[in-house]
Amino acid sequence: MNLKGVIFDLDGTLADTLPVCYAAFRSALAPYSDREYSDREIHGFFGPTEEGIIRRLVPNDWEAGLRLYLEAYERAHDTCPTPFAGIETALQLLREQGIALGVVTGKGPASAAISLKRLGLESYFDVVEAGAAEGPIKPASIRQVLARWNLSPSQVAYVGDAPSDIDAAHQAGVVAIGAAWARPEQAAALKARAPLAVFDR
């Protein structure tokens, strides 16, 4: 194997940002609902970007809802100031080997930019592909990164913490790697999707 590029998912892969997402959604949706959404319910909305989710839940005032979300996301990021232990070392080692580094996430571009800046990771990545309001587009986004790097799928790995990330890697033809360091209970589900490897740290 001759890897020349590695693409990372963001939430749950580079940092423990999922609680930040949940808190921001609860804050943004509070003015429009008399109930509080659970983490599980919010996670079930994932696929579209925050814009897409809020458009669906608050169709008549989604722009204001999205502004509330991004403001709350920035505030909530105080609870997640650093990436997972070892991530920055891994990125440094890859960069020293001349490996191209990118991010493909289902997040919107604004929240992805906030996270990478707050985590101190933005300088590592020469390409960041965000999601779409209409729904999941990770395989297409991975292919866009391949085209930008002018690399073949076999030369690039995608690292993600969800079974859907492994599926996206397979669909794009790149090497699939599972990240189980945030949620060890996901390891079996990741392995069931037949990635090259699953790492717990």
Side-chain angles (χ1 to χ4, degrees):
M1 183 177 297
N2 184 24
L3 285 181
K4 295 184 180 300
V6 179
I7 307 169
F8 291 84
D9 173 49
L10 202 164
D11 293 324
T13 299
L14 292 176
D16 192 18
T17 46
L18 284 170
V20 180
C21 301
Y22 301 148
F25 269 115
R26 270 191 286 274
S27 180
L29 295 173
Y32 305 101
S33 176
D34 56 1
R35 53 164 299 199
E36 184 173 283
Y37 291 93
S38 69
D39 291 356
R40 186 185 181 107
E41 286 176 306
I42 294 168
H43 199 90
F45 297 143
F46 287 4
T49 59
E50 304 93 338
E51 178 185 326
I53 294 168
I54 293 171
R55 276 188 175 189
R56 189 179 117 202
L57 297 175
V58 191
N60 297 323
D61 202 16
W62 68 266
E63 290 170 307
L66 182 59
R67 283 194 300 273
L68 288 174
Y69 175 88
L70 292 173
E71 290 166 1
Y73 189 85
E74 179 84 57
R75 291 193 305 272
H77 226 297
D78 290 343
T79 64
C80 181
T82 58
F84 287 118
I87 285 292
E88 195 156 8
T89 301
L91 295 174
Q92 288 170 350
L93 289 169
L94 289 166
R95 190 161 66 177
E96 287 167 8
Q97 295 297 316
I99 304 295
L101 298 173
V103 170
V104 165
T105 176
K107 300 171 78 63
S111 62
I114 290 169
S115 283
L116 292 175
K117 182 176 182 180
R118 293 292 298 272
L119 296 167
L121 298 179
E122 57 187 345
S123 65
Y124 286 100
F125 302 107
D126 58 51
V127 58
V128 176
E129 290 288 336
E134 295 72 29
I137 57 165
K138 280 189 177 180
S141 296
I142 293 170
R143 292 188 197 102
Q144 287 182 348
V145 176
L146 293 176
R148 178 163 172 172
W149 287 345
N150 195 28
L151 294 176
S152 67
S154 64
Q155 294 175 304
V156 175
Y158 183 62
V159 183
D161 69 308
S164 59
D165 293 325
I166 307 304
D167 294 342
H170 288 320
Q171 289 169 38
V174 299
V175 178
I177 296 177
W181 46 76
R183 294 181 290 166
E185 70 278 6
Q186 279 280 80
L190 292 169
K191 290 175 182 175
R193 295 300 213 277
L196 176 69
V198 174
F199 294 95
D200 59 9
R201 60 185 177 88

